Amino acid sequence: EIEGVVQGVGFRPWIYRLARQEGLAGEVRNDDSGVTIEAFGEGESIARLLGHLDDDGPPAASIDVVRSRPLALPEAQDFPADFAIVRSTGTGRPRMSIPPDVATCDRCLAEVHDPADRRAGYPFTNCTDCGPRYTIATALPYDRPATTMARFVQCPLCQAEYHDPGDRRFHAQPNACPECGPRLKLLGADGLSRDLPDPLAATAAALCDGLIVAIQGLGGFHLACDAGSGSAVRRLRERKQRSTKPFAVMVRDLDAARRLAVLAPDEATWLGRPERPIVLVERAAGSGLAEAVAPGNRHIGLFLPYTPLHHLLLELTGRPLVMTSGNLADQPIAIDPEVAVRRLAGVADLFLIHDRPIAARCDDSVIRLHDDGPVLLRRSRGFVPRPLRLAGVRFDRPTLGCGAQLKTAVCLGVDDAAYLGAHIGDLDGLDTYEAYAESIDHLERLLGVRAEVIAHDCHPDFLSTRWARERAATASGVERVAVPHHHAHLAAVLAEHPGVERALAVTWDGFGLGSDGGAWGGEILLGDAACSRRVATLRPIALAGGDVAVREVWRLAFALVMDAFDGEPPIDALPLFGAVDRPRLEVVRQMLARDVQVTPAHGAGRLFDAVGALVLAEPLSHYEAEIAIALEQTARPQRLAAYPFALDHNVTPWQIDHRPMTRAIVDDLRAGVAGEVIAARFHDTLVEVLAQVLARAAAIESIRTIALTGGCLVNRRLADPLRTRLEPEFQTIRPHHAPPGDGGISLGQVFATACARCRGIGEPSCV
């Protein structure tokens, strides 16, 4: 009995061939838990078969558990004559073993490019080693009738491949060809079909002419345009209502990627991996990309084609293409052609669609390489629904983690595994909320369970919390558990490191509701997965006007210097405030002085925004972390002397006082010190602050393990030097299988809930 990612990846044909080589009789089949083998033969032959399970199997397969036991020999008349692959069984609760979608393999690409092959130029070519999996699956066991390919009846040639155990397309569920498979169609902006003999060639020509095309892919639509055309990219920005946030760029191959970016070896490796994530890399000088692709940003998100359609399109256009999510602000990525035409009619000039339905929304994954490996910024296509096995912890009841409000994704804990769903996005509108609910239904359906324990954030106004309340109110016997936001960050890291039970954790992000009802985000916690306590925090910054200060970051900067200079900041000497109307400055001054409509926020993200606004003279933030990203990119890579800071040990939690640093930064700005120097010293000050606080707390608590997580730890200029500083003395752990930001919160919610239940303490806590 084998569990893991072993269905839909050519695992049974592999076992079939091995068993036949060993002269064994019996059968192999898919079932609810994975794959079951019944083998009869000489003991040495069976031992060799088991030994082969440690060898390299199919590329997309991953074995988690192997259990074996002896079977009684059948009577002679019932003894199997040969070894066979038999029909799947599904009798109990499934254990999901569907693999993620896998990038097109070399053998399929060779067929697509071979004029003599019957699949020449076919954009839906695949085999058991590649192609769609999760995004077409509707139920388990993973067989063709339980996919969106069920409507396509295979032609005789495809059927022969599908039923031949010796063929690499044996039971490749999406198997098809131009005679019997999905087809492309090109629609105008009005949604009416363009009767064209070659929709793909027409799409390529339109892109070369500077048009914007919505393209239906594996897990949703992309909006595509020529990445070298400034006018096309600017037009896409205007229509999509995305003023400055970078666009991802798809390139034909690694050679093309090297012409656009300075690639480290591990970045090149990740670009070519079967997951095909978007990789954040440094833009090369003279790349030829339009500046509007990533305005004012040294880095770009590159990725390689992962379907034959992408490969063919990039070859026909002969240029890099912007491939950004097919949605408008506050909307989920579109997956249905009719919905895409309705929502994107004002954005796309054309729509390239196909008739293979998408069962599960799955946006592109995004990673950034740090010194110690990849950090996922967005976990989605290529990674979902790969489970995370939890050592020593089991879910006594199916447990759902609802995630947070931003960058949300859900997680379902069943037995000893946590299944993270695909990235949904920010829960800021009805359409996204509906997509969020659909993602939960899909995950529950594939796993054959309904969540009996619902773990959610403590913030009562998050839409994820609202969903949890509604489910608990309408479903009988459902238990609802509130998990503190920053404790969930800590628990998520511990879930990835089963050998670590307790840690000091830097959980730095923009915002999370604290147990005292305040706005936390610059926290150092101590604890295990079930409970933790707050050791230290940042001195709060006043948010004048509440959330409006997150967008109008000059308000944060103004509050920061007001605090540092006892209400008399030298604003006339600071370029930032010259860009703000004096009457508005005066209004905010009065709000701060009188403590009216002001929220104190401990978030590290707010400190980055405030300092970044000062150093860069940027009054506004157009998307989350824009100012922090710009500040990181401005900073010199070389380590510089830290600014002064203070630490108050006489309060609980300890408070990191940034006022001395702020005064020194203002002095440097007034003296004309270069922004790259100030930005570097700011980052190095945070490294020094954290290193000293962590060392002091670790000595008091006799602990040697430190976790680094939260959205701010995506910052390489902060995280990598901090880890280097700590590691001679401490073990540092970081998340690598789930995002350190809010995209990984749901994993922490389910793991914290399971651990608290195991210990019989009710809800997880953070005090």
Side-chain angles (χ1 to χ4, degrees):
E1 296 171 339
I2 302 173
E3 295 178 3
V5 179
V6 289
Q7 293 186 13
V9 293
F11 195 85
R12 289 178 299 165
W14 180 59
I15 293 297
Y16 170 85
R17 290 190 292 271
L18 291 176
R20 295 286 294 263
Q21 289 171 12
E22 295 294 342
L24 299 174
E27 65 184 40
V28 58
R29 63 179 181 272
N30 285 344
D31 56 30
D32 290 332
S33 295
V35 165
T36 294
I37 304 166
E38 293 185 3
F40 299 94
E42 296 295 333
E44 291 183 359
S45 298
I46 291 176
R48 283 194 295 269
L49 175 67
L50 288 171
H52 281 302
L53 297 179
D54 295 326
D55 297 341
D56 290 334
S62 175
I63 295 175
D64 292 326
V65 178
V66 177
R67 289 185 294 269
S68 62
R69 63 179 185 273
L71 292 176
L73 283 174
E75 296 295 330
Q77 65 272 18
D78 297 325
F79 197 90
D82 207 339
F83 196 88
I85 299 173
V86 301
R87 181 178 295 276
S88 303
T89 60
T91 57
R93 187 173 76 191
R95 184 184 187 96
M96 195 195 305
S97 58
I98 299 171
D101 300 291
V102 182
T104 309
C105 70
D106 290 341
R107 287 190 291 180
C108 282
L109 275 181
E111 292 173 340
V112 171
H113 291 124
D114 182 358
D117 195 279
R118 69 189 186 94
R119 290 186 172 87
Y122 186 54
F124 302 97
T125 300
N126 67 87
C127 68
T128 52
D129 290 341
C130 68
R133 300 291 189 267
Y134 174 71
T135 52
I136 62 170
T138 57
L140 285 183
Y142 177 65
D143 283 326
R144 194 176 178 102
T147 72
T148 59
M149 287 297 296
R151 63 170 63 183
F152 298 98
V153 178
Q154 296 181 88
C155 67
L157 289 176
C158 286
Q159 282 187 347
E161 294 169 333
Y162 185 83
H163 292 292
D164 179 3
D167 194 284
R168 81 173 202 276
R169 291 191 167 94
F170 176 76
H171 279 225
Q173 309 310 339
N175 187 40
C177 75
E179 294 298 318
C180 61
R183 291 178 171 82
L184 293 174
K185 182 186 293 186
L186 191 63
L187 310 179
D190 54 7
L192 299 179
S193 176
R194 300 283 184 91
D195 189 14
L196 298 170
D198 192 343
L200 196 58
T203 298
L207 290 166
C208 291
D209 288 341
L211 299 185
I212 297 167
V213 184
I215 299 172
Q216 185 178 0
L218 276 186
F221 275 78
H222 283 120
L223 286 166
C225 74
D226 180 356
S229 169
S231 59
V233 179
R234 286 192 297 272
R235 192 162 56 252
L236 176 57
R237 286 203 175 279
E238 292 166 3
R239 295 180 183 181
K240 189 175 162 67
Q241 303 166 33
R242 183 165 163 171
S243 58
T244 59
K245 191 173 184 180
F247 287 139
V249 176
M250 183 178 282
V251 292
R252 181 173 177 176
D253 51 31
L254 278 175
D255 287 339
R258 290 189 175 98
R259 289 192 289 271
L260 301 183
V262 180
L263 297 183
D266 52 354
E267 291 170 338
T269 297
W270 269 95
L271 280 169
R273 281 179 60 114
E275 295 91 343
R276 288 294 198 277
I278 297 169
V279 182
L280 297 190
V281 294
E282 184 174 351
R283 188 198 310 227
S287 67
L289 289 178
E291 174 60 26
V293 166
N297 200 313
R298 281 208 334 263
H299 294 93
I300 51 174
L302 290 185
F303 61 141
L304 301 187
Y306 51 87
T307 70
L309 187 155
H310 294 142
H311 283 278
L312 293 167
L313 192 59
L314 285 160
E315 289 159 13
L316 288 168
T317 58
R319 64 196 66 194
L321 297 175
V322 165
M323 285 279 190
T324 188
S325 302
N327 60 358
L328 294 174
D330 302 333
Q331 288 185 347
I333 185 173
I335 61 173
D336 178 81
E338 290 185 8
V339 173
V341 169
R342 185 171 68 248
R343 291 180 182 170
L344 304 175
V347 181
D349 300 304
L350 295 169
F351 292 82
L352 182 65
I353 68 169
H354 58 73
D355 54 352
R356 183 182 67 203
I358 297 171
R361 182 178 282 102
C362 209
D363 215 330
D364 296 313
S365 297
V366 183
I367 71 163
R368 189 178 192 191
L369 274 297
H370 284 240
D371 287 348
D372 61 339
V375 171
L376 281 160
L377 279 66
R378 181 198 293 168
R379 187 184 191 273
S380 207
R381 179 196 48 77
F383 295 91
V384 173
R386 191 181 296 163
L388 182 66
R389 301 293 177 191
L390 305 176
V393 175
R394 293 187 69 85
F395 296 95
D396 58 345
R397 301 164 69 189
T399 302
L400 178 74
C402 296
Q405 181 76 4
L406 302 180
K407 298 182 175 65
T408 197
V410 300
C411 183
L412 193 54
V414 180
D415 297 329
D416 65 343
Y419 298 86
L420 272 160
H423 165 85
I424 299 297
D426 299 348
L427 294 180
D428 291 333
L430 178 60
D431 291 332
T432 310
Y433 183 72
E434 290 175 348
Y436 170 81
E438 289 169 4
S439 74
I440 295 172
D441 290 341
H442 186 72
L443 202 54
E444 290 182 321
R445 187 166 62 253
L446 287 185
L447 284 164
V449 301
R450 290 280 284 178
E452 298 174 15
V453 180
I454 308 290
H456 60 84
D457 196 272
C458 291
H459 200 298
D461 297 330
F462 282 1
L463 288 182
S464 54
T465 304
R466 170 184 165 183
W467 185 93
R469 288 197 302 262
E470 290 177 352
R471 167 66 82 88
T474 56
S476 175
V478 170
E479 178 183 349
R480 185 162 59 88
V481 177
V483 182
H485 186 92
H486 293 93
H487 179 76
H489 276 310
L490 166 59
V493 184
L494 295 178
E496 290 197 28
H497 297 83
V500 179
E501 294 184 358
R502 187 168 172 263
L504 267 173
V506 179
T507 58
W508 275 20
D509 62 5
F511 167 76
L513 189 69
S515 58
D516 60 0
W520 291 10
E523 315 310 317
I524 296 177
L525 307 181
L526 171 67
D528 55 29
C531 57
S532 61
R533 64 178 175 84
R534 198 180 185 199
V535 173
T537 187
L538 286 171
R539 178 180 175 85
I541 301 172
L543 274 61
D547 286 346
V548 69
V550 178
R551 298 184 298 276
E552 297 182 6
V553 289
W554 65 265
R555 295 173 180 248
L556 293 169
F558 192 73
L560 188 73
V561 295
M562 281 274 287
D563 185 31
F565 288 88
D566 297 325
E568 297 295 333
I571 60 173
D572 291 337
L574 300 172
L576 168 67
F577 301 115
V580 182
D581 294 337
R582 282 297 174 137
R584 300 186 72 198
L585 280 172
E586 188 56 34
V587 168
V588 171
R589 184 195 295 272
Q590 293 299 321
M591 292 170 68
L592 293 168
R594 299 175 183 177
D595 198 25
V596 175
Q597 294 185 9
V598 168
T599 303
H602 294 265
R606 303 293 77 85
L607 179 61
F608 273 91
D609 286 343
V611 172
L614 281 174
V615 176
L616 306 171
E618 288 286 350
L620 302 176
S621 176
H622 302 92
Y623 61 90
E624 188 194 17
E626 178 185 21
I627 302 300
I629 291 168
L631 188 65
E632 177 192 357
Q633 293 188 5
T634 299
R636 283 185 183 177
Q638 297 85 3
R639 294 289 302 276
L640 299 177
Y643 285 119
F645 62 90
L647 180 62
D648 187 352
H649 298 99
N650 297 317
V651 294
T652 302
W654 301 341
Q655 190 168 100
I656 299 168
D657 189 345
H658 41 65
R659 289 176 297 180
M661 177 184 69
T662 301
R663 290 191 288 268
I665 288 174
V666 169
D667 288 344
D668 275 358
L669 287 169
R670 297 172 71 183
V673 176
E676 64 179 9
V677 172
I678 300 174
R681 292 190 67 188
F682 167 72
H683 282 85
D684 292 331
T685 302
L686 298 185
V687 170
E688 185 64 28
V689 167
L690 286 170
Q692 290 192 23
V693 173
L694 291 166
R696 185 183 183 104
I700 294 172
E701 301 294 339
S702 299
I703 194 164
R704 312 309 303 166
T705 302
I706 294 173
L708 306 177
T709 188
C712 291
L713 273 299
V714 169
N715 183 324
R716 260 192 333 211
R717 187 61 178 77
L718 171 65
D720 289 352
L722 177 59
R723 188 181 64 84
T724 300
R725 173 74 184 275
L726 294 170
E727 283 207 333
E729 190 173 354
F730 301 101
Q731 175 194 12
T732 60
I733 58 174
R734 288 207 280 177
H736 293 290
H737 298 287
D742 284 3
I745 281 285
S746 59
L747 171 62
Q749 289 169 340
V750 298
F751 188 60
T753 299
C755 291
R757 290 173 66 85
C758 287
R759 288 174 52 180
I761 61 174
E763 293 189 344
S765 64
C766 180
V767 296

